[in-house]
Amino acid sequence: MADRGADEPSSRTGSPDGESRVSEDRWSLHQRLAIRELIDTEVSYLHMLQLCALDIRSRLKQLPQGDLDVLFSNIDDIIKVNSRFLQDLQGTDAMEEKQVQLIGNLFLEFQEELERVYKVYCANYDQALLLVESYRREPELQREIQAIIEAVVPQAGPSGLSFLLVIPLQRITKYPLLLQKILENTLPDASAYSVLQRATSALQDVNTNINEYKRRKEVASKYTKVEQLTLRERLARINTHTLSKKTTRLSQLLKQEAGLVLRTEDKEFDDLEERFHWVSLCVTELKNNVAAYLDNLEAFLRFRPQQYDLDMPAGPVGQYCNLARDLQLQAFPEFKRRLEDLVGQPLSSLAKALAGPQNLIKKRLDKLLDFERLEEKLLEEGSVTYEEEEARHTYQALNSLLVAELPQFNQLAVQWLGQILGTFMALQRDLAKQVLQRAESSLAQLPHHHLSEPAFRKLVEDTLGQTGHQLRSFQENFEKVLTPPTVQPLLPGAERQVQALLTKYGPGKLYQVTSNTSGSKTLDLSLPRGQIVALLQNKDTKGNSSRWLVDTGGHRGYVPAGKLEPYQIVPREEKLRVQAGPHEDSRHPTPEPTPALVASVPAGTQVVAMYPFVARNSHEVSLQAGQPVTVLEAPDKKGNPEWSLVEVAGRRGYVPSSFLARAPSPAPWGWSLPS
Amino acid sequence: MSWIPFKIGQPKKQIVPKTVERDFEREYGKLQQLEEQTRKLQKDLKKSTDADLAMSKSAVKISLDLLSNPLCEQDQDFLNMVTALDTAMKRMDAFNQEKVNQIQKTVVEPLKKFGSVFPSLNMAVKRREQALQDYRRLQAKVEKYEEKEKTGPVLAKLHQAREELRPVRDDFEAKNKQLLDEMPRFYNSRLDYFQPSFESLIRAQVVYYSEMHKIFGDLTQQLDQPGHPDEQRERENEAKLSELRALSIVADD
C-alpha cells in the first residue's frame, strides 16, 4: 500500500490511465478503511459484550437470577459465535488480495448462526427493557446498578443498563451497512464483488428474518393466552370498535358462505389444522378415559371383603385375608400413584398445551376474514389505511407462525402420546408382577397348590356338592324343631269350653291352634295360640283344603289348616267319674298322658286303652283306662282315621283311635339326629 | 328372653340352670355373628367385583377410543401401537369376566347357601323360646298350687297341673338339647365348608394376573423399549413438555 501511496502524486499529473488508477487507489483505500472499521469495531464490540456478560452481570448480585436471565438473555451464545467470527475475520488480514472475498464468504458462512442467536436476543429485548424500566422506578436500586456499571464501563453514561443491552441489536443491524460500505468501494468487475453482494443481501435477510421472528413472538404471546373473563368483563369489552370488527368479520364469512366471495383455500394449512384437531381429540379423550379408569380403581380399593375372616384366621381364609390386605395397602396404591404421576399428570399438561394453538387458530380465522376483505379493498381502491395494513400483517404473521410451528407441535404431541402409552403398558405389567409374586407365595401355602387348575376346579365343584348336602341336612334339622306333637297347655279358663266342645263333637274332632292366626277374609277367625277348637269341615266352600271350618264354642269360622294340631285331652278325675257313670272302677291312678302321635294302629295288634270311654250308641264300645284292647280294623281302612274297630272284654265296637296306645309304651318321641 | 306378661306369674325356681343358659347364649351368639359376617362378606365381594368389572371396561374404552381416532390412518407406528394395546385390553377383559364368574361360582354361591340356613336356625331358636315360656308358665302354676293349703280340690288341681307340665318340660329339654348339639356342629362346619372357596379365590387371582403379566410383558417388549425407571420417565415427560413450551404457539403459564 505504501508503494501505491508513493505512486499517487506521479499519476495525478496526467493521463486517464493515471486518473483511473487514482480512483482505483482511492477506492481501494476506502475499501481498506471500511474493512479496518469492520474488524476494529468487531473487536471492541466483542470486548464490550464480555465486559457485560462477565464483569457486570456477576456484580449485579442484588438482582435475582431470573431477572439476570431476562436482561442478558443468550448473550453467552452471542459471545461464542462472535468470538469465532472475529478470529476468522482477523485471519483474513493475512490474505491480502483475497481478503474481501474471504470476508464475503465468511459472512455467508456465519449467516445462519448469526440469525439463530441474534433473533433470540432481539425477541427478548423488549422484556429486558421493561425490567430496566422497573429498576429505574426504584431509586435506591437504580443508584446501585449505575454505580456498578460506571465502575466497569465509564462511557456507559446515565442510561447505563439500557445503553449496554442495546449493543447487540445495534451490531447486527450494522453488519449490512458495513458490508455495503465495503461493497461501494469495490470494483464491480472484481471477483469478490458478487460474493460481497450476496453477503450484503444475506445480512439484510438476517435482519428481516429477525424482525419477522420478533413479530411472530409478539403476536403469539398476544393471542395464546386463554383469558378468563367474567361476563361483566366481557360486556365491558364490547365497544363500537369491537362490535364493528365482529360484524365486519361476520359479513365477510357470510359472503364466503354464500359464494359471493372466494374463500382463501389454503390446503396446507387446512391439512395441518385437521391433524391438530385429531391430536387434540386424541389427547382429550385419553385424558378423560384415564381419569375414569383411576376413579374406578379408587372405587375398587374402597371395598375390603378381607376384613371378614368368618372367625377362621388360619388356613386358606387367613391366607386370602392377608393377601388381599397386602395388595390393598401396597401393590394397588403404588400402581395408582405411578399411574397418576406418569400418565395422568403428563396428559393434563399436554391437554393444557392445546389451548394456545387452539386460540391462535381461531384468531387466525378471524384475521383471515379481515385480510380477505382488505384484499378486496386493495383491489378496488388500490390502497388501505395504516391500521388496515397492520391488520393484514397480523394475519400474515399468525398464518406463518402457525404454518411454521403446528407441524412441530403435532409431531411432539404424537411422540409424547406414544411415550405415555408405553408407560401405561409398563405400569400394568408391573402391577401384574407385584400381585403375582404375592399371590403365588400365598398359593404355595395352600393345601392343594400342587393341583393343576382344571383338577382343582373339579375338586372344588365336588367338594361344594358334598358340603351343600351337609348344609341341607343342617337346615332340615333345624326345621324339624317343629311344633311338638304334644299337648300344649290350655289357655287359662278354657277347660270348661273344651269340655263343651268335647261333649258336642267327640275327642277326635278337637284341634289346638299352634300359633296365632289372624283372619283376613270374611269368616276367618283370629285365634290365639293354644285355643281349642272343634273341626267342622276340613275344607272351605271353594274346596280349598288348607282352610278349615272350625267351632270355637262361641264362634264359627275358618283358620289355616297348618296351624292346627290334633288335641289330646288330659282327662280329669272328676269328669271321669261323672262320665263313667256305672263303670266306676277308675280308682286306679290317672293314666299316664302319653303324648303319642295320632298314629294309625295297624289291625291285629294288642293295644292298651289310655282313657276311659263311654259308648254312646250300639256301634261304640266302652273302654276303661288301662284295658287291653285288640284292634280289629285299622282306622284308615274305613276312611275315618278317628275311629277304630276293636274288641275289648269280649265286646266289639268303635272307639276313638286317639284313646288307644301301643303296648307297652308309647313310641319314643324326638327325631333321629343326623349322623 | 323373659319379660313375657303372664297372668300366673313367674316360677320361683330357676328352671333352666344358669350354665345351660349361658352355654346356649354363647353358641347362639357365635352363630349370630357368623351370620352377620357371611352377609357382609357376600355384600362386599359383590361390590368389589362390580368395581373390578367397571375398571376393566374403562380400560377397554381407552384403547377403543384411541383406535377410532383418524390419527391411526395417517400414522402407521401409532396404528400398530394402538392396535396391540386394544387387543391386549380386550383379552384382559375376557379373562377378568372369567375370573369373576369363577368367584361367583365358588365363593358367592356357597356364601348364599350357607346364609340360607340361618333363617331355619333362628326359627328353631324361637320355638325353643316359646317352649321355655310355656314351661315357665306351667311351672309357676304348679308352684302356686303347691303353696296352697292341701285340700282335696287343690290336690286334684295340683295333680292336673303336674300332668300338664311334664310334656311341656320334656319338650323344652329336647329342643334345648338338640340345639345345643347342633349349633356347635353347624358353627364348626364352616371350616370345611369355606376352605375350598377361599383357596379358589386365591387361585383365581393367580390365574388372572399370570395372564396379565404375560400379555403386558409381551406388549412392553414390543412397544416400550427400553423400559426406563420412573425417574427417567419423569424426566422424559419434563423434556417433552419443555419442548412444547418452547414453541411460540404454546401459551406459557
Side-chain angles (χ1 to χ4, degrees), chain A residues 266-278 406 410, chain B residues 74:
Chain A
D266 188 343
K267 180 125 197 354
E268 188 193 350
F269 186 84
D270 287 344
D271 285 347
L272 265 182
E273 198 206 328
E274 194 179 51
R275 189 168 168 84
F276 172 76
H277 177 67
W278 294 336
L406 261 186
N410 289 340
Chain B
Q74 287 188 337

Side-chain angles (χ1 to χ4, degrees), chain A residues 41-58 71-72 74-83 85-86 114 117-118 121 152-153 155 163-172 175:
Chain A
T41 49
E42 189 66 26
V43 169
S44 62
Y45 168 63
L46 195 58
H47 175 65
M48 192 65 90
L49 281 184
Q50 280 161 341
L51 279 179
C52 282
L54 298 171
D55 294 329
I56 294 178
R57 181 161 59 172
S58 57
L71 286 176
F72 293 101
N74 64 338
I75 203 170
D76 299 314
D77 293 336
I78 293 179
I79 291 176
K80 275 193 213 136
V81 172
N82 275 93
S83 305
F85 180 71
L86 179 60
L114 287 172
V117 292
Y118 277 90
Y121 188 89
V152 178
V153 183
Q155 67 267 39
F163 172 83
L164 292 173
L165 292 177
V166 86
I167 289 176
L169 257 77
Q170 291 171 336
R171 187 67 189 164
I172 190 71
Y175 286 134

Side-chain angles (χ1 to χ4, degrees), chain A residues 350-414:
Chain A
L350 184 48
K352 272 205 212 123
L354 292 170
Q358 274 166 352
N359 279 346
L360 284 179
I361 289 173
K362 247 188 280 177
K363 262 298 168 204
R364 173 199 168 272
L365 184 61
D366 288 344
K367 296 291 177 194
L368 177 57
L369 293 172
D370 293 344
F371 180 79
E372 286 167 343
R373 191 179 46 82
L374 291 172
E375 293 292 277
E376 277 174 47
K377 188 176 174 197
L378 203 57
L379 282 172
E380 288 165 23
E381 296 178 19
S383 71
V384 287
T385 66
Y386 181 71
E387 289 88 12
E388 287 165 344
E389 194 65 33
E390 280 298 302
R392 287 181 72 236
H393 283 312
T394 310
Y395 161 73
Q396 282 165 330
L398 266 178
N399 193 57
S400 57
L401 178 62
L402 283 170
V403 167
E405 295 200 341
L406 261 186
Q408 275 181 287
F409 184 93
N410 289 340
Q411 192 189 37
L412 283 172
V414 172

